[in-house]
Amino acid sequence: MKLTDEEQRMLDGQYGKAVSMAMSILTKLGQIYGAEEMMPITQVHIDSTFFQLLGDAGLEFVARLVHCDTEFCVPTSLNPSARDIKRWQEFRVPPDFAEKSKRLEQAYLRMGANPTWTCAPYQNGMIPRFGQQIAWAESNAIAFANSVIGARTARYGDFADICAAVTGRVPKFSLHIPQNRSGEILLRLQTSDLIDFGDDSIYPLIGYIAGSFAQERIPVIEGIPNTVSSDNLKALSAAAASSGAVDLFHILGVTPEASTYEDAFQGKEPTQIIDIGEEELLTARRNLSTVKEGKVDLVVIGCPHASFPEVKQLNQLLGGKKIARGVELWVQTNRVVYHWLKEAGLLESLSFSGVKVTTDTCNLNWPRNIWDNWGFRLLVTNSGKWAHYAPGLTGLQVIFGNIQKCVEAALKGEIREG
Ligand code: F3S
C-alpha cells in the first residue's frame, strides 16, 4: 500500500505507539479491501461505545490508548453509551455494569471526543457537509450521512472507528470513491390510495423492504414525495441498514446525488427493477411483528434517537392523559433535545403522563439480564430497526406500529390487531 511520508512516519512510531498501532490496523484493513492508498478524513463518529459489545478486551484497548496520552486528531462524536449516564439506576442497570460503562465513557472524553452520546449526530451538533470525507460507524448514521447528506464514509466497525479518530486517516476504498456510489437496483413505489405518505410508519417499512431486496447493493427508490422530512429519512435509513447492509441509498428527486435518474445510476442501468405496492408494505409490517395483539408492557419511541418534533408529537398525542398502570413508555433521545424539551415545558407534561425520557443511551443493547430484571413480555415500537432486532436481543415479543398505535397501546395497556 502506498503511504505518504507523513503516514509512513505515523506507522513507524514517530508520533507514538498509539498512532503507530492505529495506523497499522488501518493499513491492514486497507490491504484486505484492496485499497491502494490512505486518505485524510475530517470527522469521525465512534460506535465503540457499548461496553457490553466491546467487553473487557475493548475496555483494555481504549485504556491503553489513554495510557499513551492519545488525543483524537479530528472532531469526533460518540454513539450512545450502554447506560443513561444520569438515570441508570432508574433503569435498573447493575452498578458493576454502570461502572465499566463509565470507564469507557471517560476514556473517550479524555481523548477529546464530543460527548454527543447519540446515534443521530447528524441532527444535533456534528453535521457533515455534502462531499465531506468522514469515517462514521453506527449503521443508521452511515446510511443517513452518505444518502441524505451526501457525505462520504465507508462502513466502519468498532475499533476501526477509534483508529480513524487517532490518525485522521482511512483506506481509500468503498463509498469514499465517487464511482462506487452509483445506484444498482431500482425500487418503484406504486402509488395508490392505500399508500399513505402522511403516515410516518411508511418510511421504516420502505427502508425495511429496500434493505431486504438490496442487501449489499445500492438501492435507488422512486416515488417518495420531496416533502419527506429529515425524521422520515432517519427512520428509513435505520430500517434499510437493519434488514440489509445498506450504507447508501438514493431517492429520486430527494437525495443530493439523485436529482435525476442518470445521476443516481451514474449513466448505467439498474441490474434489477422491483415494484413495491400495498402487498409488500403489509408483508413488511407483518414481518416486523412477532405477535398480532396482547397485553403491552413496554412502548419504545426514539430509535434512532428522537428529535424535538418527534417528542412533541408524542406529547400532543398523549394529550395530557396518563399511560395505563403497569406499562412503561420510554423515549430515547440526546441531551440537546432533552434540554429543549425542558425549556419548552414538555418534560413536565411527559412526566405527568408517565413517560420516561432517557438520554445518552440505547436500551436495545442492554445485556439480557437487565431485560430479565424488568420482566417484560411484549413491547410496541414505531421503529423498524428496534422491531427488527428486539426479538433476538431482548427476548421480547414485538409489535410494530405507527406513533398513534404506540400511544393507543400505552394508554390502554393492550393492543389489538388492525
Ligand atoms: Fe440508536 Fe440504538 Fe436504535 S443506537 S439507532 S437507538 S438501536
Side-chain angles (χ1 to χ4, degrees):
M1 206 173 176
K2 204 168 66 192
L3 299 183
T4 63
D5 291 348
E6 173 78 347
E7 288 159 359
Q8 191 62 52
R9 281 195 289 275
M10 289 178 170
L11 187 62
D12 292 344
Q14 289 191 27
Y15 296 97
K17 271 188 190 168
V19 173
S20 171
M21 175 174 70
M23 199 59 166
S24 154
I25 291 169
L26 290 170
T27 50
K28 286 197 175 70
L29 182 74
Q31 282 158 9
I32 291 167
Y33 284 98
E36 292 176 0
E37 55 187 332
M38 302 294 285
M39 57 178 284
I41 41 93
T42 51
Q43 204 190 91
V44 171
H45 181 68
I46 288 184
D47 176 58
S48 314
T49 46
F50 297 110
F51 162 70
Q52 70 278 21
L53 300 183
L54 297 188
D56 288 321
L59 193 53
E60 190 184 322
F61 177 84
V62 177
R64 194 173 295 186
L65 293 178
V66 172
H67 183 70
C68 296
D69 292 328
T70 307
E71 284 191 21
F72 294 147
C73 67
V74 291
T76 299
S77 50
L78 295 166
N79 222 35
S81 174
R83 59 169 193 155
D84 182 320
I85 294 171
K86 292 197 169 146
R87 305 166 203 86
W88 57 271
Q89 283 155 313
E90 193 184 332
F91 284 90
R92 305 183 190 173
V93 171
D96 56 335
F97 180 80
E99 179 55 33
K100 287 188 172 173
S101 297
K102 183 178 172 186
R103 280 169 53 198
L104 192 60
E105 290 152 15
Q106 292 189 335
Y108 288 126
L109 299 187
R110 288 267 299 275
M111 289 190 276
N114 181 338
T116 48
W117 309 121
T118 184
C119 50
Y122 46 81
Q123 287 193 318
N124 288 112
M126 294 289 279
I127 306 164
R129 60 177 169 74
F130 178 82
Q132 187 174 354
Q133 296 286 3
I134 60 176
W136 275 22
E138 164 53 47
S139 64
N140 99 83
I142 293 166
F144 192 98
N146 272 319
S147 316
V148 182
I149 298 175
R152 293 179 183 162
T153 179
R155 175 180 285 240
Y156 291 98
D158 291 352
F159 301 110
D161 49 5
I162 302 171
C163 294
V166 170
T167 60
R169 299 288 197 288
V170 292
K172 190 171 183 181
F173 75 127
S174 178
L175 297 175
H176 289 292
I177 301 171
Q179 298 90 298
N180 293 344
R181 300 174 64 86
S182 65
E184 293 171 285
I185 66 168
L186 176 64
L187 273 78
R188 297 188 298 205
L189 279 167
Q190 305 297 299
T191 47
S192 80
D193 291 348
L194 283 177
I195 296 187
D196 177 6
F197 287 103
D199 180 341
D200 291 336
S201 71
I202 194 170
Y203 293 99
L205 293 178
I206 294 169
Y208 187 76
I209 294 168
S212 305
F213 279 114
Q215 291 302 308
E216 293 183 352
R217 297 174 295 177
I218 299 173
V220 176
I221 307 169
E222 181 185 79
I224 291 185
N226 67 6
T227 49
V228 58
S229 70
S230 166
D231 286 328
N232 294 150
L233 293 170
K234 176 175 69 173
L236 193 157
S237 301
S242 303
S243 57
V246 172
D247 300 327
L248 167 64
F249 58 85
H250 300 296
I251 302 178
L252 287 176
V254 174
T255 56
E257 290 164 88
S259 48
T260 65
Y261 185 92
E262 287 69 31
D263 285 351
F265 288 100
Q266 295 188 7
K268 293 173 242 163
E269 285 303 318
T271 55
Q272 194 181 3
I273 298 177
I274 300 144
D275 288 331
I276 309 293
E278 296 107 54
E279 202 183 313
E280 287 75 17
L281 289 161
L282 291 171
T283 304
R285 195 178 71 181
R286 271 196 301 275
N287 290 344
L288 280 169
S289 298
T290 57
V291 292
K292 293 178 178 170
E293 56 188 21
K295 184 187 160 308
V296 176
D297 300 301
L298 172 66
V299 178
V300 177
I301 308 293
C303 167
H305 276 181
S307 66
F308 181 82
E310 287 175 312
V311 190
K312 192 172 160 200
Q313 184 193 19
L314 170 70
N315 188 55
Q316 276 165 350
L317 289 169
L318 284 165
K321 295 198 254 329
K322 286 185 189 287
I323 61 174
R325 190 183 292 270
V327 177
E328 292 280 325
L329 199 173
W330 295 350
V331 177
Q332 302 189 131
T333 189
N334 61 61
R335 289 186 192 192
V336 176
V337 170
Y338 188 89
H339 176 74
W340 290 340
L341 294 171
K342 194 171 171 188
E343 291 284 299
L346 296 185
L347 272 188
E348 270 176 30
S349 153
L350 289 161
S351 165
F352 176 82
S353 291
V355 177
K356 289 191 173 90
V357 180
T358 176
T359 62
D360 311 325
T361 195
C362 166
N363 298 335
L364 182 66
N365 287 293
W366 274 347
R368 222 29 190 269
N369 61 327
I370 304 183
W371 286 109
D372 293 345
N373 283 347
W374 278 94
F376 297 138
R377 277 162 303 178
L378 174 62
L379 79 85
V380 180
T381 182
N382 65 344
S383 163
K385 180 172 180 177
W386 192 283
H388 177 75
Y389 286 117
L393 292 175
T394 67
L396 302 182
Q397 302 289 353
V398 177
I399 293 181
F400 169 83
N402 61 19
I403 184 72
Q404 288 83 357
K405 197 85 181 163
C406 288
V407 170
E408 202 182 303
L411 292 174
K412 288 188 179 160
E414 59 176 13
I415 188 163
R416 298 249 160 260
E417 195 179 353

